[in-house]
Amino acid sequence: MTVAVATDLTAGTWAIDPVHSSINFSVRHLMVSKVRGSFETFSGAVVVAEDGTPSVSATIDVTSIDTRNEQRDAHVRSADFFDAENYPSATFVSTGVHPDGDDYIVDGDFTLKGVTKPVSLKLEFNGVNPGMGQGPVAGFEASVVLNRKDFGIDIDMPLETGGTVVGDKVTITLEIEAVKQA
């Protein structure tokens, strides 16, 4: 179900500004800490209909993963994890937005490694600013916790003492700045 969202977003296309946005993730490592990383290349837009109903689409270049360790990044790009040679992109297309207290839930279809699953992102709308000469700018923060195995990333790397090298739950955090297109 899609519901019109009462915000300062005016009708039109708001393109994600990759210079002022980030897509980050964290996943449990060795059962005791977290590895953090980001994707450096992505694009997308929020399109607001005349009635105020927003829709969101985004593409992430999974080959742009950066965990600050090139050996690990190469392994994550491999068939063991993302199989980036065959699936170089992940995509998100919203199916609906609804209020959740002062925030919102953005439901949509997320595709990773050729597997599409419904996901719900918790979204905080940070408002609109007139910008710095390039037009109005809107800010958003969103997060979701995914199970990597739901998307065919089912490598098991067990530890001799129990547990695994890499956890199943991956937290994705988005900091998005979008610019209104003329």
Side-chain angles (χ1 to χ4, degrees):
M1 177 170 113
T2 301
V3 176
V5 178
T7 67
D8 296 331
L9 288 177
T10 56
T13 300
W14 296 75
I16 293 174
D17 177 358
V19 174
H20 295 102
S21 301
S22 63
I23 299 177
N24 302 297
F25 67 89
S26 65
V27 62
R28 187 70 61 196
H29 181 249
L30 298 175
M31 307 295 295
V32 297
S33 64
K34 291 184 178 180
V35 167
R36 298 177 190 286
S38 61
F39 295 96
E40 301 304 311
T41 305
F42 51 89
S43 62
V46 177
V47 177
V48 181
E50 288 299 327
D51 69 359
T53 303
S55 63
V56 179
S57 62
T59 300
I60 302 168
D61 176 357
V62 298
T63 68
S64 72
I65 190 168
D66 182 4
T67 65
R68 299 184 332 210
N69 180 293
E70 184 51 44
Q71 182 180 3
R72 177 175 47 222
D73 294 347
H75 189 205
V76 174
R77 285 192 221 42
S78 78
D80 285 346
F81 290 89
F82 288 153
D83 193 6
E85 185 174 321
N86 293 307
Y87 306 101
S89 303
T91 60
F92 177 81
V93 177
S94 67
T95 57
V97 178
H98 60 275
D100 183 40
D102 291 338
D103 297 322
Y104 299 92
I105 300 294
V106 180
D107 297 317
D109 293 324
F110 182 65
T111 302
L112 176 64
K113 199 175 176 182
V115 177
T116 301
K117 297 278 185 183
V119 300
S120 296
L121 286 83
K122 176 84 172 168
L123 176 84
E124 180 180 341
F125 174 62
N126 296 328
V128 175
N129 183 283
M132 297 178 65
Q134 303 299 316
V137 176
F140 309 89
E141 295 178 31
S143 63
V144 64
V145 177
L146 303 176
N147 187 319
R148 65 181 175 85
K149 291 184 176 183
D150 290 346
F151 295 91
I153 303 172
D154 52 9
I155 184 173
D156 282 322
M157 299 169 65
L159 295 168
E160 289 180 19
T161 57
T164 60
V165 172
V166 179
D168 294 344
K169 293 180 181 179
V170 180
T171 301
I172 300 174
T173 307
L174 303 101
E175 301 280 340
I176 302 297
E177 190 171 292
V179 179
K180 177 80 181 278
Q181 302 299 287

